[in-house]
Amino acid sequence: TFDRVVVIDCRAHLLGRLASLVAKEALSGQKVVLVRCEELNISGELFRNKLKWEAFLRKRTAYNPKRGPFHFRSPADFTRRVIRGMVPHKTQRGAAAMRHVHCFVGIPFRFQKLKRVVLPSALRITHLRPGRKFTRLGDLAVSIGWKYSEVVKKLETKRKLRGKADFKAKKATALLRKKSVSQAAKEIKKQAQVLQAYKYPVN
């Protein structure tokens, strides 16, 4: 059985490990959304990863570079390209799998209230030896020409402030409800007993 959509928070995950798991899920038919792609990590220092990028940048169609390969600067497009490399995207099955995968920088508004998950088997903290150097994908993207890092930072700051306010309001509402239920407990004692007999939660 599949969830309607799985939203994965990419912060502090290793890019390759995450991509392999997402590719497998997408091929099985699961819809996957990756948020905060700029917070992904790649093992190795920034300078080394930038050299790899520059080697990739030299790959082009000799007679017409417009035909590709295309060198995306955005962390979301970069991540999608890595996942595509693990999927047989030229077959019908692979193309269908890629339609199930969506990558975003930051957390778009429509995914902010949805439950976000992490993948323990792809976390950097458990799979990269302490002391080893790693690169944040957002930093690599900025060094190769991505221009929207500051915009994403501002939007993320606003989102976090909004989230704190929402959580505060939710807590206050829950406390108010608890007080109301405890005050009305004597008045609705008979009704509560009937509901509890049918295993219906009263509180």
Side-chain angles (χ1 to χ4, degrees), residues 14-203:
L14 288 169
L15 177 59
R17 283 180 174 271
L18 179 80
S20 64
L21 293 167
V22 170
K24 195 170 183 179
E25 285 298 309
L27 283 165
S28 70
Q30 177 64 59
K31 289 181 181 177
V32 185
V33 172
L34 304 179
V35 295
R36 293 212 282 183
C37 287
E38 73 281 5
E39 296 293 341
L40 277 164
N41 297 147
I42 308 170
S43 58
E45 61 184 341
L46 179 62
F47 179 73
R48 187 164 176 268
N49 283 308
K50 201 176 173 188
L51 286 178
K52 284 183 181 179
W53 163 265
E54 284 166 1
F56 170 58
L57 197 60
R58 286 194 291 274
K59 290 177 170 60
R60 65 187 198 125
T61 304
Y63 67 92
N64 187 2
K66 282 184 182 178
R67 286 176 172 263
F70 303 107
H71 311 98
F72 299 114
R73 266 71 173 181
S74 162
D77 294 331
F78 194 106
T79 305
R80 187 176 166 80
R81 174 68 186 250
V82 173
I83 294 165
R84 196 190 77 168
M86 301 181 184
V87 170
H89 66 277
K90 292 186 181 182
T91 65
Q92 200 171 1
R93 177 171 169 257
M98 287 310 295
R99 286 197 292 274
H100 293 151
V101 178
H102 301 279
C103 304
F104 298 95
V105 288
I107 304 179
F109 186 75
R110 66 181 182 276
F111 299 118
Q112 285 176 13
K113 296 285 176 78
L114 294 181
K115 181 187 175 186
R116 296 190 291 276
V117 298
V118 298
L119 304 180
S121 54
L123 287 170
R124 189 201 75 239
I125 197 76
T126 52
H127 286 83
L128 196 66
R129 191 184 295 172
R132 292 291 189 193
K133 290 178 180 177
F134 63 90
T135 306
R136 182 176 163 273
L137 187 56
D139 296 339
L140 177 62
V142 168
S143 72
I144 60 181
W146 184 48
K147 297 174 184 175
Y148 297 99
S149 176
E150 291 303 314
V151 175
V152 172
K153 272 182 191 172
K154 282 180 186 175
L155 289 171
E156 280 293 281
T157 306
K158 281 182 183 178
R159 178 187 66 78
K160 284 171 187 173
L161 289 170
R162 200 162 53 238
K164 276 183 183 177
D166 287 351
F167 183 65
K168 213 173 182 180
K170 193 179 177 182
K171 273 179 81 176
T173 308
L175 193 67
L176 203 65
R177 187 184 182 283
K178 199 176 178 183
K179 280 182 182 177
S180 302
V181 168
S182 63
Q183 283 169 5
K186 288 178 183 177
E187 294 172 27
I188 59 164
K189 195 175 181 182
K190 285 181 182 177
Q191 291 88 336
Q193 283 173 350
V194 174
L195 290 170
Q196 281 168 356
Y198 290 102
K199 295 181 180 178
Y200 187 88
V202 179
N203 296 330

